[in-house]
Amino acid sequence: GAVVSQHPSRVICKSGTSVKIECRSLDFQATTMFWYRQFPKKSLMLMATSNEGSKATYEQGVEKDKFLINHASLTLSTLTVTSAHPEDSSFYICSAGLAGRNEQFFGPGTRLTVL
Amino acid sequence: QQQVKQSPQSLIVQKGGIPIINCAYENTAFDYFPWYQQFPGKGPALLIAIRPDVSEKKEGRFTISFNKSAKQFSLHIMDSQPGDSATYFCAAGFMDSSYKLIFGSGTRLLVRP
């Protein structure tokens, strides 16, 4: 149980385009979802926390207009990287949590490459 | 006060050795301390977690030792195998909450055959 999927697993796009990444909790309802960014050989950097039906809470330094997060249902959250630039190239990972519990279940990640 | 400091940054052991990874935290209000294992190109997976009311927890070959007074906790991998080669992250948070976890910087472990 507690499986989280991400789609796509890899995406290559041109500079200036927007990319949407989906995060789904497959067998449970996730009241909270987290979006992380990870650079090679580095730790996970929390970008934002999203609760179903409300606006995401962004960490300091993360541009909310560039990284749009939507958590429209208890099983789906999306991250849209708008007007992507090469410096946005990274590994993006989501995690999902259960109400009242801090255990986070991570997705497999999405490798974004912006040319 | 929200930081979790992890060491070492990298670790190499021979098969059968017992690698030890250490983490330290500042916020005494934390009550949930998980360890995650991550293979290259994959998302982290929960390995084992502990709460501060116990000093040790074992799950298979993985053991967490917890020192509440020192605000430190560590992961020991018994009889390590080449398949254990991965990056390990400690974290700290609040158990009964969906509050964010604070992650350590990670330890890259290589277990030589």
Side-chain angles (χ1 to χ4, degrees):
Chain A
V3 178
V4 177
S5 70
Q6 273 185 249
H7 178 80
S9 58
R10 288 177 176 270
V11 57
I12 300 173
C13 69
K14 292 182 179 180
S15 186
T17 61
S18 295
V19 175
K20 180 184 284 188
I21 302 170
E22 292 186 348
C23 176
R24 293 181 184 273
S25 57
L26 298 184
D27 51 3
F28 67 101
Q29 294 185 327
T31 49
T32 305
M33 286 186 170
F34 303 86
W35 285 95
Y36 296 84
R37 183 174 180 176
Q38 188 176 33
F39 292 102
K41 301 180 183 179
K42 297 293 184 183
S43 188
L44 298 96
M45 183 191 82
L46 180 65
M47 300 174 65
T49 302
S50 75
N51 292 292
E52 183 264 340
S54 60
K55 290 184 179 180
T57 301
Y58 289 81
E59 294 297 302
Q60 191 172 13
V62 178
E63 299 177 60
K64 62 181 180 180
D65 293 331
K66 179 165 185 64
F67 298 100
L68 300 178
I69 292 172
N70 183 281
H71 192 166
S73 77
L74 287 172
T75 59
L76 174 64
S77 176
T78 60
L79 167 69
T80 301
V81 183
T82 63
S83 186
H85 288 95
E87 57 265 31
D88 298 325
S89 298
S90 192
F91 193 51
Y92 292 88
I93 310 173
C94 72
S95 71
L98 296 167
R101 293 176 56 183
N102 204 349
E103 186 172 354
Q104 292 186 30
F105 303 96
F106 283 84
T110 297
R111 173 74 60 192
L112 170 64
T113 303
V114 184
L115 302 176
Chain B
Q1 199 180 24
Q2 291 288 68
Q3 275 191 324
V4 176
K5 295 183 179 179
Q6 182 172 348
S7 63
Q9 188 175 23
S10 62
L11 190 54
I12 301 174
V13 299
Q14 291 295 130
K15 177 183 175 182
I18 306 177
I20 301 173
I21 305 171
N22 301 297
C23 284
Y25 63 97
E26 291 292 325
N27 189 344
T28 55
F30 286 140
D31 65 356
Y32 176 64
F33 303 90
W35 284 90
Y36 286 85
Q37 179 189 55
Q38 184 180 30
F39 293 104
K42 304 292 183 184
L46 179 64
L47 199 57
I48 185 173
I50 198 169
R51 299 198 67 176
D53 51 349
V54 297
S55 60
E56 186 176 277
K57 183 175 181 180
K58 290 183 181 181
E59 284 188 8
R61 295 185 292 109
F62 300 94
T63 299
I64 299 180
S65 297
F66 190 87
N67 187 329
K68 188 174 181 178
S69 61
K71 292 185 288 185
Q72 295 176 347
F73 58 110
S74 59
L75 176 70
H76 300 230
I77 305 176
M78 307 300 177
D79 187 27
S80 59
Q81 302 295 314
D84 296 329
S85 298
T87 299
Y88 293 82
F89 294 97
C90 63
F94 305 98
M95 185 64 197
D96 298 321
S97 167
S98 295
Y99 187 70
K100 60 186 179 184
L101 288 172
I102 309 298
F103 281 87
S105 54
T107 297
R108 297 180 68 201
L109 171 67
L110 175 63
V111 181
R112 294 193 189 279

